[in-house]
């Protein structure tokens, strides 16, 4: 479930006047053992500038955590902000966060594994697996394939855009934060609306982002895999890779410690803590992870450790984004595959990603095509949601710098008492 300041959530109600931020600007660039680094492919000076730019793009008061992993060197990490509003404690290095729609890559991976095992086919229709579930108001599950669901070419209405759902999410978040609505009920909400389009055999491929696609995909995976989508992800991805800090909590509204509190501003101008909730418990949004684990996951995916070659090729077979101008406005570059975006690098080639935008938390992972490098940025709000186009530009620049850096590039050492970038004398470099 996404909550950006666009059609995907209509978060304008929560973007009232910003509160005065008590968050000190702190940042760190360190190696995995937390000692100041000396040389990296992606240098600390560049990382500090990029991190400061992400914070500015997020409104100036967001908390940011970034980690860059590579095959030819030690991890590089950076942080700016504090664990809670008004606290002197810095953002934890291993902070847990809800990855939101980055979950879609986990779900797509499981579906492709089931396809490799011939337990389902990407050409199977929704009607074959879920008779009568996608029907009414012009919806036709007999014309939508599993592939359409994963690559967002089904045309199904996005349940997050339903006025009643929006009101619960945005207008009455606090009263509804312990939401337990099953995926099937949310799909039923989407079926009250006409689709944007219906796939036509032999016709042009049309694309529009819809969280509903992954609810349906998760339901099909459960039937084909004989277990809940949570268990399928846990056993087939998390356990296989040893992702100790990644979970699928379901209806549990609490994050594992440590974590960063997320806040939004209500229409009345009050700061609302939105950390604790169970809205994101379905196959489109329900994974909790860390920057380190997400890098491991995406490197394993690109490195062939999760999918056979045929399914990995299928996942990377992308289409143009034709019918969703807001998605294109927020992220102008790139095409969409099966739970994966393909975005060009300034140095040539591409990287793969899937963003996650939730309640006060924004996740931006990326991996090089060969799986040798990965970087993840986690942004947590302290007041209002950021402008997604600006945030994506800043995080995209950070990703591009990291993935395009030349091996052996000299990096400046970090002084423990150096001031934060752009804010001389404010906040130590720890």
């Amino acid at each position: 479930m996404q909550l950006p300041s666009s059609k995907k959530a209509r978060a304008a109600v929560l973007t009232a006047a910003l509160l005065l931020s008590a968050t000190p600007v702190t940042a760190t660039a360190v190696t995995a053992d937390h000692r100041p680094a000396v040389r990296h492919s992606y240098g600390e000076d560049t990382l500090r500038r990029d991190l400061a730019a992400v914070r500015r793009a997020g409104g100036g008061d967001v908390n940011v955590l970034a980690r860059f992993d590579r095959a030819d060197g030690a991890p590089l990490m950076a942080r700016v902000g504090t664990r809670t509003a008004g606290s002197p404690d810095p953002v934890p290095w291993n902070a847990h966060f809800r990855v939101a729609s980055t979950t879609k890559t986990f779900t797509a991976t499981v579906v492709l594994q089931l396809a490799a095992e011939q337990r389902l086919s990407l050409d199977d229709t929704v009607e074959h697996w879920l008779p009568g579930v996608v029907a009414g108001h012009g919806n036709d599950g007999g014309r939508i394939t599993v592939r359409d669901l994963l690559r967002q070419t089904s045309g199904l209405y996005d349940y997050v855009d339903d006025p009643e759902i929006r009101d619960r999410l945005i207008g009455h978040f606090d009263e509804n934060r312990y939401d337990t609505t099953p995926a099937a009920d949310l799909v039923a909400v989407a079926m009250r609306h006409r689709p944007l389009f219906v796939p036509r055999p032999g016709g042009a491929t049309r694309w529009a982002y819809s969280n509903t696609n992954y609810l349906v995909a998760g339901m099909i995976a459960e039937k084909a895999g004989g277990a809940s989508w949570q268990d399928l992800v846990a056993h087939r991805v998390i356990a296989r890779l040893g992702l100790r800090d990644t979970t699928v909590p379901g209806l549990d509204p609490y994050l594992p410690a440590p974590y960063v509190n997320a806040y939004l501003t209500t229409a009345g101008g009050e700061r609302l803590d939105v950390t604790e909730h169970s809205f994101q418990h379905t196959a489109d949004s329900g994974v909790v992870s860390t920057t380190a684990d997400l890098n491991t996951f995406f490197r394993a995916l690109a490195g062939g450790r999760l999918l056979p070659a045929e399914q990995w090729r299928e996942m990377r077979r992308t289409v143009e984004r034709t019918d969703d101008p807001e998605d294109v406005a927020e992220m102008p570059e790139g095409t969409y595959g099966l739970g994966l975006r393909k975005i060009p690098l300034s140095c040539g080639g591409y990287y793969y990603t899937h963003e996650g935008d939730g309640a006060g938390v924004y996740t931006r992972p990326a991996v090089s095509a060969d799986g040798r490098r990965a970087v993840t940025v986690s942004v947590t709000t302290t007041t209002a949601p950021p402008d997604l186009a600006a945030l994506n530009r800043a995080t995209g620049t950070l990703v591009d710098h990291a993935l395009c850096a030349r091996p052996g590039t000299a990096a400046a050492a970090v002084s423990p008492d150096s001031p934060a970038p752009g804010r001389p004398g404010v906040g130590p470099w720890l």
Side-chain angles (χ1 to χ4, degrees):
M1 180 182 303
Q2 293 195 329
L3 286 173
S5 53
S6 70
K7 81 167 185 75
K8 295 175 184 171
R10 318 290 190 191
V13 176
L14 292 173
T15 58
L18 298 181
L19 301 180
L20 178 63
S21 173
T23 305
V25 177
T26 62
T28 309
V30 300
T31 53
D33 58 4
H34 300 179
R35 292 193 302 269
V38 178
R39 293 179 66 87
H40 286 285
S41 299
Y42 177 44
E44 288 90 345
D45 286 346
T46 308
L47 180 57
R48 290 190 305 196
R49 288 194 297 271
D50 287 347
L51 202 73
V54 170
R55 189 172 225 230
R56 288 193 300 272
D61 59 355
V62 295
N63 302 305
V64 189
L65 177 65
R67 178 178 172 118
F68 173 43
D69 284 286
R70 60 203 177 138
D72 57 352
L76 182 65
M77 295 160 24
R79 61 186 176 184
V80 58
T82 60
R83 188 180 66 79
T84 62
S87 167
D89 299 330
V91 171
W93 291 116
N94 58 336
H96 298 82
F97 49 87
R98 293 182 176 87
V99 309
S101 280
T102 303
T103 299
K104 291 177 172 65
T105 311
F106 286 78
T107 300
T109 298
V110 166
V111 173
L112 285 163
Q113 289 174 343
L114 294 170
E117 297 162 13
Q118 299 184 345
R119 300 176 76 170
L120 60 77
S121 168
L122 295 179
D123 294 319
D124 288 344
T125 66
V126 172
E127 184 66 16
H128 170 78
W129 285 101
L130 304 172
V133 170
V134 174
H137 297 93
N139 295 285
D140 185 353
R143 292 169 59 179
I144 297 171
T145 65
V146 174
R147 181 183 286 102
D148 287 323
L149 297 174
L150 298 184
R151 71 179 180 184
Q152 308 277 13
T153 54
S154 74
L156 291 177
Y157 181 86
D158 192 341
Y159 75 92
V160 176
D161 285 339
D162 178 80
E164 292 183 10
I165 297 289
R166 284 208 313 267
D167 184 58
R168 284 164 49 200
L169 280 171
I170 302 168
H172 299 89
F173 181 96
D174 207 20
E175 303 97 302
N176 294 288
R177 66 168 69 225
Y178 303 114
D179 181 80
T180 61
T181 307
D185 290 359
L186 295 173
V187 172
V189 168
M191 294 304 103
R192 299 174 194 164
H193 303 268
R194 294 192 63 81
L196 181 62
F197 54 83
V198 177
R200 298 185 180 280
T205 301
R206 300 176 66 181
W207 186 96
Y209 193 99
S210 173
N211 290 283
T212 307
N213 287 320
Y214 276 77
L215 301 187
V216 179
M219 293 165 66
I220 291 174
E222 290 178 340
K223 279 205 167 184
S228 70
W229 78 269
Q230 294 98 324
D231 285 345
L232 292 171
V233 169
H235 294 306
R236 289 171 166 270
V237 178
I238 296 173
R240 180 179 294 188
L241 298 179
L243 304 180
R244 296 184 178 181
D245 291 313
T246 300
T247 59
V248 191
L251 297 177
D252 185 350
Y254 306 106
L255 288 173
Y259 57 85
V260 179
N261 286 61
Y263 305 88
L264 292 172
T265 306
T266 69
E270 298 177 350
R271 193 198 303 261
L272 177 66
D273 190 326
V274 296
T275 311
E276 180 183 310
H277 70 85
S278 57
F279 272 117
Q280 294 166 241
H281 63 263
T282 45
D284 60 332
S285 60
V287 170
V288 169
S289 192
T290 63
T291 55
D293 272 8
L294 285 182
N295 282 354
T296 298
F297 166 65
F298 277 95
R299 290 183 68 191
L301 184 62
R305 293 173 56 195
L306 288 171
L307 293 174
E310 180 183 347
Q311 280 67 40
W312 174 230
R313 282 194 299 271
E314 189 75 48
M315 195 177 207
R316 291 175 292 152
R317 190 169 293 134
T318 62
V319 296
E320 298 294 331
R321 295 173 292 153
T322 61
D323 289 72
D324 196 335
E326 290 190 20
D327 188 272
V328 175
E330 291 166 5
M331 196 174 293
E333 292 187 304
T335 52
Y336 199 95
L338 305 188
L340 206 62
R341 292 186 192 261
K342 179 181 177 182
I343 297 179
L345 286 165
S346 65
C347 54
Y350 299 87
Y351 69 89
Y352 300 103
T353 182
H354 201 300
E355 77 291 351
D357 299 331
V361 182
Y362 300 83
T363 306
R364 297 295 182 271
V367 65
S368 59
D370 60 6
R372 293 178 59 82
R373 294 182 176 192
V375 59
T376 295
V377 183
S378 175
V379 177
T380 307
T381 62
T382 62
T383 51
D387 175 86
L388 283 185
L391 184 70
N392 288 337
R393 283 194 297 272
T395 55
T397 297
L398 188 155
V399 166
D400 193 86
H401 286 166
L403 299 186
C404 281
R406 295 178 180 175
T409 301
V414 179
S415 169
D417 55 359
S418 298
R423 296 285 299 277
V426 181
W429 290 87
L430 300 178

